[in-house]
Amino acid sequence: DTAVSQTPKYLVTQMGNDKSIKCEQNLGHDTMYWYKQDSKKFLKIMFSYNNKELIINETVPNRFSPKSPDKAHLNLHINSLELGDSAVYFCASSHGPSGYTFGSGTRLTVV
Amino acid sequence: AQSVTQLDSQVPVFEEAPVELRCNYSSSVSVYLFWYVQYPNQGLQLLLKYLSGSTLVKGINGFEAEFNKSQTSFHLRKPSVHISDTAEYFCAVSDPNDYKLSFGAGTTVTVRA
């Protein structure tokens, strides 16, 4: 069983579309995250949820909206996609700040 | 807030040679430190972490790292690399009172025969 699973693995879409990426973890962790990896491979946190409550919201356009229906799921919805949104998006989970498990990533390409 | 600096963006190395990847951090509080590896077109895998205790930390695949508080460093080493160690390596830091993991810019290791 995959500990942190993301779907889809690849996503190609046109500018202006709305898309969602789903994430599920089966580790029983309380905290989940979304990270963005840009074309230079730099990783930056976008959001974090702890027990379904938003605790970290970095400077991210409000076109990005995370949703956590329960503590095992954290989805990312993106409205009005732009070329600059092309990146690899990683979901992660942790039990406190001492151990993080990452999903395999979703490569988003906006054309 | 904490930050991480990886001092080498690219490290070419011959197979069976040793490698050291340098990482420095800045923080006003005690931190937890991590090294992750990302193989081509794959996700992030934890190599090792320092939470407390012994400053020499052993990880998977023969890697180890040493925490040096006075120099605020957490350098990663492997005595003999393989072709399969070709990957991107990320140093990361988290505040024990925080939930945010902050990454360095990464070091690309290319192992040549």
Side-chain angles (χ1 to χ4, degrees):
Chain A
D1 280 347
T2 303
V4 179
S5 59
Q6 298 178 225
T7 54
K9 190 170 175 65
Y10 299 96
L11 186 53
V12 181
T13 188
Q14 291 187 327
M15 279 194 303
N17 283 353
D18 303 338
K19 291 292 179 185
S20 292
I21 307 172
K22 296 186 176 182
C23 179
E24 175 182 4
Q25 55 97 2
N26 62 6
L27 298 168
H29 289 165
D30 295 327
T31 311
M32 295 186 72
Y33 313 79
W34 279 109
Y35 278 82
K36 179 180 180 180
Q37 185 174 44
D38 63 23
S39 59
K40 296 185 178 178
K41 300 201 173 180
F42 187 68
L43 282 151
K44 186 170 170 55
I45 191 168
M46 300 173 69
F47 302 102
S48 174
Y49 271 74
N50 181 259
N51 278 321
K52 302 194 297 177
E53 180 181 345
L54 182 66
I55 56 170
I56 295 175
N57 184 349
E58 294 291 294
T59 312
V60 176
N62 57 15
R63 297 181 295 103
F64 290 79
S65 54
K67 286 190 171 49
S68 181
D70 55 61
K71 75 173 193 177
H73 295 83
L74 180 62
N75 303 322
L76 183 65
H77 188 75
I78 316 169
N79 289 326
S80 303
L81 278 155
E82 301 177 356
L83 292 176
D85 298 331
S86 295
V88 181
Y89 293 85
F90 285 100
C91 178
S93 71
S94 74
H95 181 66
S98 63
Y100 301 77
T101 302
F102 284 81
S104 57
T106 296
R107 183 175 295 274
L108 171 65
T109 303
V110 183
V111 297
Chain B
Q2 55 268 14
S3 65
V4 179
T5 302
Q6 291 184 242
L7 299 165
D8 309 290
S9 60
Q10 297 195 9
V11 174
V13 58
F14 286 107
E15 193 174 19
E16 298 183 8
V19 70
E20 178 181 76
L21 308 184
R22 297 179 293 166
C23 173
N24 285 98
Y25 69 93
S26 64
S27 176
S28 57
V29 299
S30 296
V31 295
Y32 295 153
L33 293 157
F34 306 81
W35 275 99
Y36 282 87
V37 61
Q38 185 177 27
Y39 298 106
N41 297 315
Q42 294 191 27
L44 293 158
Q45 181 180 5
L46 180 67
L47 278 177
L48 47 79
K49 61 184 177 183
Y50 173 79
L51 305 182
S52 64
S54 173
T55 57
L56 183 61
V57 180
K58 293 193 183 297
I60 62 171
N61 301 341
F63 284 93
E64 64 180 31
E66 184 148 22
F67 170 59
N68 188 318
K69 187 174 182 179
S70 62
Q71 297 186 5
T72 60
S73 68
F74 191 55
H75 300 334
L76 180 72
R77 300 183 184 95
K78 185 170 182 177
S80 176
V81 296
H82 304 294
I83 298 288
S84 59
D85 291 320
T86 293
E88 192 78 20
Y89 292 79
F90 293 96
C91 182
V93 61
S94 74
D95 180 335
N97 299 310
D98 197 337
Y99 290 92
K100 189 163 72 172
L101 188 63
S102 299
F103 285 89
T107 297
T108 304
V109 173
T110 304
V111 182
R112 302 169 183 169

mmCIF file of all heavy atoms in Angstrom, chain B residues 28-68:
data_model
loop_
_atom_site.group_PDB
_atom_site.id
_atom_site.type_symbol
_atom_site.label_atom_id
_atom_site.label_comp_id
_atom_site.label_asym_id
_atom_site.label_seq_id
_atom_site.Cartn_x
_atom_site.Cartn_y
_atom_site.Cartn_z
ATOM 1 N N SER B 28 16.840 30.710 14.620
ATOM 2 C CA SER B 28 16.964 31.292 15.956
ATOM 3 C C SER B 28 16.602 30.288 17.047
ATOM 4 O O SER B 28 16.745 30.564 18.221
ATOM 5 C CB SER B 28 16.066 32.527 16.073
ATOM 6 O OG SER B 28 14.726 32.169 15.794
ATOM 7 N N VAL B 29 16.135 29.114 16.631
ATOM 8 C CA VAL B 29 15.754 28.074 17.587
ATOM 9 C C VAL B 29 16.402 26.760 17.185
ATOM 10 O O VAL B 29 16.973 26.644 16.109
ATOM 11 C CB VAL B 29 14.223 27.907 17.645
ATOM 12 C CG1 VAL B 29 13.556 29.188 18.093
ATOM 13 C CG2 VAL B 29 13.677 27.464 16.293
ATOM 14 N N SER B 30 16.307 25.788 18.068
ATOM 15 C CA SER B 30 16.791 24.455 17.702
ATOM 16 C C SER B 30 15.945 23.912 16.560
ATOM 17 O O SER B 30 14.753 24.220 16.447
ATOM 18 C CB SER B 30 16.687 23.512 18.904
ATOM 19 O OG SER B 30 17.536 23.942 19.928
ATOM 20 N N VAL B 31 16.554 23.116 15.727
ATOM 21 C CA VAL B 31 15.848 22.623 14.541
ATOM 22 C C VAL B 31 15.985 21.118 14.393
ATOM 23 O O VAL B 31 16.824 20.481 15.028
ATOM 24 C CB VAL B 31 16.382 23.297 13.258
ATOM 25 C CG1 VAL B 31 16.089 24.781 13.263
ATOM 26 C CG2 VAL B 31 17.878 23.030 13.080
ATOM 27 N N TYR B 32 15.130 20.578 13.564
ATOM 28 C CA TYR B 32 15.280 19.221 13.068
ATOM 29 C C TYR B 32 15.841 19.326 11.647
ATOM 30 O O TYR B 32 15.451 20.218 10.898
ATOM 31 C CB TYR B 32 13.930 18.502 13.022
ATOM 32 C CG TYR B 32 13.276 18.258 14.359
ATOM 33 C CD1 TYR B 32 11.893 18.144 14.459
ATOM 34 C CD2 TYR B 32 14.020 18.110 15.520
ATOM 35 C CE1 TYR B 32 11.268 17.892 15.675
ATOM 36 C CE2 TYR B 32 13.410 17.866 16.741
ATOM 37 C CZ TYR B 32 12.037 17.757 16.815
ATOM 38 O OH TYR B 32 11.426 17.519 18.023
ATOM 39 N N LEU B 33 16.739 18.408 11.283
ATOM 40 C CA LEU B 33 17.400 18.469 9.985
ATOM 41 C C LEU B 33 17.197 17.173 9.216
ATOM 42 O O LEU B 33 17.173 16.089 9.800
ATOM 43 C CB LEU B 33 18.896 18.732 10.186
ATOM 44 C CG LEU B 33 19.212 20.116 10.766
ATOM 45 C CD1 LEU B 33 20.554 20.122 11.452
ATOM 46 C CD2 LEU B 33 19.173 21.169 9.658
ATOM 47 N N PHE B 34 17.094 17.313 7.902
ATOM 48 C CA PHE B 34 16.773 16.176 7.041
ATOM 49 C C PHE B 34 17.594 16.248 5.748
ATOM 50 O O PHE B 34 17.956 17.330 5.287
ATOM 51 C CB PHE B 34 15.282 16.212 6.628
ATOM 52 C CG PHE B 34 14.311 16.301 7.777
ATOM 53 C CD1 PHE B 34 14.043 17.512 8.390
ATOM 54 C CD2 PHE B 34 13.671 15.168 8.242
ATOM 55 C CE1 PHE B 34 13.152 17.609 9.456
ATOM 56 C CE2 PHE B 34 12.766 15.248 9.302
ATOM 57 C CZ PHE B 34 12.513 16.467 9.900
ATOM 58 N N TRP B 35 17.830 15.068 5.179
ATOM 59 C CA TRP B 35 18.296 14.976 3.818
ATOM 60 C C TRP B 35 17.321 14.074 3.058
ATOM 61 O O TRP B 35 16.991 12.977 3.506
ATOM 62 C CB TRP B 35 19.698 14.368 3.731
ATOM 63 C CG TRP B 35 20.808 15.352 3.914
ATOM 64 C CD1 TRP B 35 21.518 15.597 5.053
ATOM 65 C CD2 TRP B 35 21.350 16.232 2.917
ATOM 66 N NE1 TRP B 35 22.458 16.571 4.822
ATOM 67 C CE2 TRP B 35 22.381 16.972 3.530
ATOM 68 C CE3 TRP B 35 21.070 16.451 1.561
ATOM 69 C CZ2 TRP B 35 23.125 17.922 2.833
ATOM 70 C CZ3 TRP B 35 21.806 17.396 0.879
ATOM 71 C CH2 TRP B 35 22.826 18.117 1.505
ATOM 72 N N TYR B 36 16.898 14.585 1.894
ATOM 73 C CA TYR B 36 16.032 13.818 1.004
ATOM 74 C C TYR B 36 16.750 13.608 -0.324
ATOM 75 O O TYR B 36 17.560 14.440 -0.749
ATOM 76 C CB TYR B 36 14.724 14.571 0.731
ATOM 77 C CG TYR B 36 13.714 14.499 1.856
ATOM 78 C CD1 TYR B 36 13.755 15.419 2.910
ATOM 79 C CD2 TYR B 36 12.726 13.521 1.865
ATOM 80 C CE1 TYR B 36 12.832 15.348 3.939
ATOM 81 C CE2 TYR B 36 11.803 13.456 2.896
ATOM 82 C CZ TYR B 36 11.862 14.376 3.923
ATOM 83 O OH TYR B 36 10.948 14.309 4.937
ATOM 84 N N VAL B 37 16.393 12.509 -1.015
ATOM 85 C CA VAL B 37 16.914 12.247 -2.349
ATOM 86 C C VAL B 37 15.745 12.155 -3.316
ATOM 87 O O VAL B 37 14.673 11.651 -2.975
ATOM 88 C CB VAL B 37 17.767 10.957 -2.388
ATOM 89 C CG1 VAL B 37 16.949 9.730 -1.990
ATOM 90 C CG2 VAL B 37 18.384 10.761 -3.756
ATOM 91 N N GLN B 38 15.965 12.712 -4.510
ATOM 92 C CA GLN B 38 14.954 12.632 -5.562
ATOM 93 C C GLN B 38 15.626 12.060 -6.802
ATOM 94 O O GLN B 38 16.458 12.725 -7.442
ATOM 95 C CB GLN B 38 14.366 14.010 -5.865
ATOM 96 C CG GLN B 38 13.232 13.980 -6.871
ATOM 97 C CD GLN B 38 12.612 15.352 -7.116
ATOM 98 O OE1 GLN B 38 13.259 16.383 -6.957
ATOM 99 N NE2 GLN B 38 11.353 15.371 -7.504
ATOM 100 N N TYR B 39 15.274 10.816 -7.136
ATOM 101 C CA TYR B 39 15.781 10.209 -8.361
ATOM 102 C C TYR B 39 15.022 10.787 -9.546
ATOM 103 O O TYR B 39 13.907 11.286 -9.386
ATOM 104 C CB TYR B 39 15.666 8.692 -8.288
ATOM 105 C CG TYR B 39 16.476 8.105 -7.161
ATOM 106 C CD1 TYR B 39 15.870 7.630 -6.000
ATOM 107 C CD2 TYR B 39 17.870 8.051 -7.228
ATOM 108 C CE1 TYR B 39 16.620 7.120 -4.948
ATOM 109 C CE2 TYR B 39 18.626 7.548 -6.186
ATOM 110 C CZ TYR B 39 17.993 7.081 -5.042
ATOM 111 O OH TYR B 39 18.733 6.597 -4.002
ATOM 112 N N PRO B 40 15.585 10.720 -10.739
ATOM 113 C CA PRO B 40 14.948 11.339 -11.905
ATOM 114 C C PRO B 40 13.486 10.938 -12.057
ATOM 115 O O PRO B 40 13.151 9.744 -12.006
ATOM 116 C CB PRO B 40 15.808 10.835 -13.063
ATOM 117 C CG PRO B 40 17.158 10.634 -12.461
ATOM 118 C CD PRO B 40 16.894 10.133 -11.067
ATOM 119 N N ASN B 41 12.649 11.943 -12.187
ATOM 120 C CA ASN B 41 11.201 11.754 -12.401
ATOM 121 C C ASN B 41 10.516 10.964 -11.292
ATOM 122 O O ASN B 41 9.536 10.255 -11.548
ATOM 123 C CB ASN B 41 10.952 11.067 -13.743
ATOM 124 C CG ASN B 41 11.420 11.920 -14.898
ATOM 125 O OD1 ASN B 41 11.167 13.120 -14.936
ATOM 126 N ND2 ASN B 41 12.166 11.327 -15.813
ATOM 127 N N GLN B 42 11.030 11.076 -10.094
ATOM 128 C CA GLN B 42 10.415 10.394 -8.964
ATOM 129 C C GLN B 42 10.143 11.374 -7.822
ATOM 130 O O GLN B 42 10.483 12.565 -7.911
ATOM 131 C CB GLN B 42 11.296 9.242 -8.475
ATOM 132 C CG GLN B 42 11.425 8.109 -9.487
ATOM 133 C CD GLN B 42 12.076 6.885 -8.876
ATOM 134 O OE1 GLN B 42 11.993 6.646 -7.673
ATOM 135 N NE2 GLN B 42 12.720 6.103 -9.721
ATOM 136 N N GLY B 43 9.530 10.870 -6.760
ATOM 137 C CA GLY B 43 9.236 11.697 -5.595
ATOM 138 C C GLY B 43 10.430 11.795 -4.666
ATOM 139 O O GLY B 43 11.545 11.410 -5.007
ATOM 140 N N LEU B 44 10.173 12.324 -3.478
ATOM 141 C CA LEU B 44 11.223 12.544 -2.486
ATOM 142 C C LEU B 44 11.285 11.383 -1.511
ATOM 143 O O LEU B 44 10.264 10.966 -0.957
ATOM 144 C CB LEU B 44 10.928 13.826 -1.707
ATOM 145 C CG LEU B 44 11.011 15.096 -2.525
ATOM 146 C CD1 LEU B 44 10.208 16.199 -1.884
ATOM 147 C CD2 LEU B 44 12.453 15.519 -2.686
ATOM 148 N N GLN B 45 12.496 10.909 -1.270
ATOM 149 C CA GLN B 45 12.699 9.799 -0.341
ATOM 150 C C GLN B 45 13.616 10.264 0.786
ATOM 151 O O GLN B 45 14.666 10.873 0.528
ATOM 152 C CB GLN B 45 13.321 8.622 -1.090
ATOM 153 C CG GLN B 45 13.545 7.391 -0.225
ATOM 154 C CD GLN B 45 14.172 6.250 -1.001
ATOM 155 O OE1 GLN B 45 14.524 6.380 -2.168
ATOM 156 N NE2 GLN B 45 14.312 5.107 -0.356
ATOM 157 N N LEU B 46 13.242 9.966 2.010
ATOM 158 C CA LEU B 46 14.060 10.377 3.147
ATOM 159 C C LEU B 46 15.321 9.527 3.232
ATOM 160 O O LEU B 46 15.256 8.298 3.255
ATOM 161 C CB LEU B 46 13.250 10.230 4.435
ATOM 162 C CG LEU B 46 13.965 10.615 5.727
ATOM 163 C CD1 LEU B 46 14.251 12.126 5.762
ATOM 164 C CD2 LEU B 46 13.133 10.209 6.939
ATOM 165 N N LEU B 47 16.479 10.198 3.271
ATOM 166 C CA LEU B 47 17.755 9.504 3.451
ATOM 167 C C LEU B 47 18.074 9.349 4.931
ATOM 168 O O LEU B 47 18.479 8.284 5.377
ATOM 169 C CB LEU B 47 18.882 10.299 2.801
ATOM 170 C CG LEU B 47 19.107 10.152 1.295
ATOM 171 C CD1 LEU B 47 20.217 11.093 0.868
ATOM 172 C CD2 LEU B 47 19.449 8.716 0.930
ATOM 173 N N LEU B 48 17.932 10.430 5.673
ATOM 174 C CA LEU B 48 18.236 10.416 7.100
ATOM 175 C C LEU B 48 17.716 11.700 7.731
ATOM 176 O O LEU B 48 17.362 12.642 7.025
ATOM 177 C CB LEU B 48 19.747 10.273 7.352
ATOM 178 C CG LEU B 48 20.696 11.169 6.553
ATOM 179 C CD1 LEU B 48 20.778 12.563 7.111
ATOM 180 C CD2 LEU B 48 22.100 10.547 6.507
ATOM 181 N N LYS B 49 17.684 11.683 9.071
ATOM 182 C CA LYS B 49 17.235 12.873 9.787
ATOM 183 C C LYS B 49 17.946 12.979 11.127
ATOM 184 O O LYS B 49 18.339 11.964 11.716
ATOM 185 C CB LYS B 49 15.724 12.855 10.010
ATOM 186 C CG LYS B 49 15.223 11.681 10.834
ATOM 187 C CD LYS B 49 13.690 11.710 10.916
ATOM 188 C CE LYS B 49 13.161 10.500 11.677
ATOM 189 N NZ LYS B 49 11.664 10.478 11.701
ATOM 190 N N TYR B 50 18.100 14.223 11.587
ATOM 191 C CA TYR B 50 18.633 14.496 12.911
ATOM 192 C C TYR B 50 17.548 15.191 13.728
ATOM 193 O O TYR B 50 17.068 16.257 13.345
ATOM 194 C CB TYR B 50 19.880 15.388 12.850
ATOM 195 C CG TYR B 50 20.324 15.818 14.228
ATOM 196 C CD1 TYR B 50 21.046 14.955 15.040
ATOM 197 C CD2 TYR B 50 19.964 17.066 14.751
ATOM 198 C CE1 TYR B 50 21.419 15.329 16.318
ATOM 199 C CE2 TYR B 50 20.334 17.445 16.033
ATOM 200 C CZ TYR B 50 21.055 16.569 16.805
ATOM 201 O OH TYR B 50 21.420 16.938 18.083
ATOM 202 N N LEU B 51 17.198 14.558 14.840
ATOM 203 C CA LEU B 51 16.222 15.157 15.749
ATOM 204 C C LEU B 51 16.899 15.575 17.049
ATOM 205 O O LEU B 51 16.659 16.675 17.565
ATOM 206 C CB LEU B 51 15.080 14.181 16.028
ATOM 207 C CG LEU B 51 14.341 13.619 14.795
ATOM 208 C CD1 LEU B 51 13.208 12.693 15.216
ATOM 209 C CD2 LEU B 51 13.812 14.738 13.923
ATOM 210 N N SER B 52 17.712 14.691 17.590
ATOM 211 C CA SER B 52 18.452 14.980 18.822
ATOM 212 C C SER B 52 19.437 13.839 19.025
ATOM 213 O O SER B 52 19.471 12.880 18.255
ATOM 214 C CB SER B 52 17.510 15.084 20.022
ATOM 215 O OG SER B 52 16.883 13.846 20.268
ATOM 216 N N GLY B 53 20.285 13.959 20.079
ATOM 217 C CA GLY B 53 21.183 12.864 20.417
ATOM 218 C C GLY B 53 22.480 12.913 19.635
ATOM 219 O O GLY B 53 23.023 13.988 19.376
ATOM 220 N N SER B 54 22.951 11.746 19.227
ATOM 221 C CA SER B 54 24.238 11.642 18.535
ATOM 222 C C SER B 54 24.268 12.524 17.302
ATOM 223 O O SER B 54 23.327 12.536 16.501
ATOM 224 C CB SER B 54 24.498 10.188 18.140
ATOM 225 O OG SER B 54 25.651 10.101 17.328
ATOM 226 N N THR B 55 25.375 13.245 17.145
ATOM 227 C CA THR B 55 25.466 14.181 16.023
ATOM 228 C C THR B 55 25.788 13.485 14.708
ATOM 229 O O THR B 55 25.656 14.082 13.644
ATOM 230 C CB THR B 55 26.528 15.254 16.300
ATOM 231 O OG1 THR B 55 27.782 14.601 16.563
ATOM 232 C CG2 THR B 55 26.140 16.101 17.504
ATOM 233 N N LEU B 56 26.219 12.236 14.768
ATOM 234 C CA LEU B 56 26.479 11.475 13.542
ATOM 235 C C LEU B 56 25.260 10.596 13.271
ATOM 236 O O LEU B 56 24.916 9.724 14.068
ATOM 237 C CB LEU B 56 27.732 10.616 13.693
ATOM 238 C CG LEU B 56 28.142 9.823 12.453
ATOM 239 C CD1 LEU B 56 28.458 10.754 11.287
ATOM 240 C CD2 LEU B 56 29.344 8.923 12.763
ATOM 241 N N VAL B 57 24.650 10.837 12.138
ATOM 242 C CA VAL B 57 23.409 10.141 11.804
ATOM 243 C C VAL B 57 23.654 9.235 10.600
ATOM 244 O O VAL B 57 24.205 9.686 9.594
ATOM 245 C CB VAL B 57 22.295 11.146 11.458
ATOM 246 C CG1 VAL B 57 21.009 10.420 11.120
ATOM 247 C CG2 VAL B 57 22.077 12.127 12.600
ATOM 248 N N LYS B 58 23.260 7.997 10.722
ATOM 249 C CA LYS B 58 23.399 7.072 9.592
ATOM 250 C C LYS B 58 22.044 6.901 8.917
ATOM 251 O O LYS B 58 21.005 6.801 9.592
ATOM 252 C CB LYS B 58 23.944 5.740 10.067
ATOM 253 C CG LYS B 58 25.386 5.859 10.560
ATOM 254 C CD LYS B 58 26.040 4.512 10.747
ATOM 255 C CE LYS B 58 27.458 4.666 11.299
ATOM 256 N NZ LYS B 58 28.343 5.400 10.347
ATOM 257 N N GLY B 59 22.077 6.845 7.588
ATOM 258 C CA GLY B 59 20.835 6.720 6.849
ATOM 259 C C GLY B 59 20.838 5.507 5.936
ATOM 260 O O GLY B 59 21.629 4.588 6.099
ATOM 261 N N ILE B 60 19.963 5.561 4.950
ATOM 262 C CA ILE B 60 19.857 4.449 4.018
ATOM 263 C C ILE B 60 20.909 4.559 2.923
ATOM 264 O O ILE B 60 21.506 5.622 2.728
ATOM 265 C CB ILE B 60 18.447 4.389 3.392
ATOM 266 C CG1 ILE B 60 18.156 5.657 2.582
ATOM 267 C CG2 ILE B 60 17.391 4.175 4.466
ATOM 268 C CD1 ILE B 60 16.884 5.581 1.755
ATOM 269 N N ASN B 61 21.152 3.452 2.235
ATOM 270 C CA ASN B 61 22.047 3.415 1.077
ATOM 271 C C ASN B 61 23.476 3.857 1.394
ATOM 272 O O ASN B 61 24.175 4.343 0.505
ATOM 273 C CB ASN B 61 21.487 4.287 -0.064
ATOM 274 C CG ASN B 61 20.110 3.832 -0.523
ATOM 275 O OD1 ASN B 61 19.690 2.704 -0.268
ATOM 276 N ND2 ASN B 61 19.388 4.713 -1.190
ATOM 277 N N GLY B 62 23.915 3.693 2.622
ATOM 278 C CA GLY B 62 25.296 3.986 2.981
ATOM 279 C C GLY B 62 25.608 5.452 3.243
ATOM 280 O O GLY B 62 26.769 5.815 3.428
ATOM 281 N N PHE B 63 24.581 6.298 3.271
ATOM 282 C CA PHE B 63 24.794 7.716 3.548
ATOM 283 C C PHE B 63 24.838 7.983 5.053
ATOM 284 O O PHE B 63 24.211 7.284 5.843
ATOM 285 C CB PHE B 63 23.676 8.559 2.925
ATOM 286 C CG PHE B 63 23.803 8.724 1.444
ATOM 287 C CD1 PHE B 63 23.152 7.850 0.574
ATOM 288 C CD2 PHE B 63 24.574 9.747 0.910
ATOM 289 C CE1 PHE B 63 23.285 8.001 -0.801
ATOM 290 C CE2 PHE B 63 24.702 9.901 -0.462
ATOM 291 C CZ PHE B 63 24.056 9.028 -1.318
ATOM 292 N N GLU B 64 25.589 9.025 5.421
ATOM 293 C CA GLU B 64 25.602 9.507 6.788
ATOM 294 C C GLU B 64 25.764 11.026 6.777
ATOM 295 O O GLU B 64 26.209 11.610 5.776
ATOM 296 C CB GLU B 64 26.714 8.863 7.616
ATOM 297 C CG GLU B 64 28.109 9.191 7.146
ATOM 298 C CD GLU B 64 29.177 8.523 8.010
ATOM 299 O OE1 GLU B 64 28.940 7.427 8.543
ATOM 300 O OE2 GLU B 64 30.259 9.124 8.141
ATOM 301 N N ALA B 65 25.376 11.640 7.875
ATOM 302 C CA ALA B 65 25.502 13.094 7.982
ATOM 303 C C ALA B 65 25.903 13.451 9.396
ATOM 304 O O ALA B 65 25.594 12.732 10.345
ATOM 305 C CB ALA B 65 24.184 13.777 7.614
ATOM 306 N N GLU B 66 26.585 14.571 9.523
ATOM 307 C CA GLU B 66 27.025 15.030 10.830
ATOM 308 C C GLU B 66 26.447 16.397 11.131
ATOM 309 O O GLU B 66 26.610 17.346 10.355
ATOM 310 C CB GLU B 66 28.542 15.077 10.915
ATOM 311 C CG GLU B 66 29.047 15.450 12.304
ATOM 312 C CD GLU B 66 30.361 14.802 12.638
ATOM 313 O OE1 GLU B 66 31.090 14.417 11.705
ATOM 314 O OE2 GLU B 66 30.656 14.682 13.843
ATOM 315 N N PHE B 67 25.778 16.498 12.261
ATOM 316 C CA PHE B 67 25.226 17.765 12.729
ATOM 317 C C PHE B 67 26.296 18.508 13.511
ATOM 318 O O PHE B 67 26.900 17.954 14.438
ATOM 319 C CB PHE B 67 24.017 17.497 13.621
ATOM 320 C CG PHE B 67 23.494 18.708 14.350
ATOM 321 C CD1 PHE B 67 23.073 19.825 13.645
ATOM 322 C CD2 PHE B 67 23.428 18.730 15.735
ATOM 323 C CE1 PHE B 67 22.590 20.936 14.306
ATOM 324 C CE2 PHE B 67 22.947 19.835 16.412
ATOM 325 C CZ PHE B 67 22.531 20.940 15.696
ATOM 326 N N ASN B 68 26.560 19.739 13.109
ATOM 327 C CA ASN B 68 27.533 20.569 13.807
ATOM 328 C C ASN B 68 26.825 21.863 14.216
ATOM 329 O O ASN B 68 26.605 22.751 13.386
ATOM 330 C CB ASN B 68 28.734 20.870 12.904
ATOM 331 C CG ASN B 68 29.847 21.568 13.650
ATOM 332 O OD1 ASN B 68 29.598 22.471 14.448
ATOM 333 N ND2 ASN B 68 31.077 21.148 13.416
#
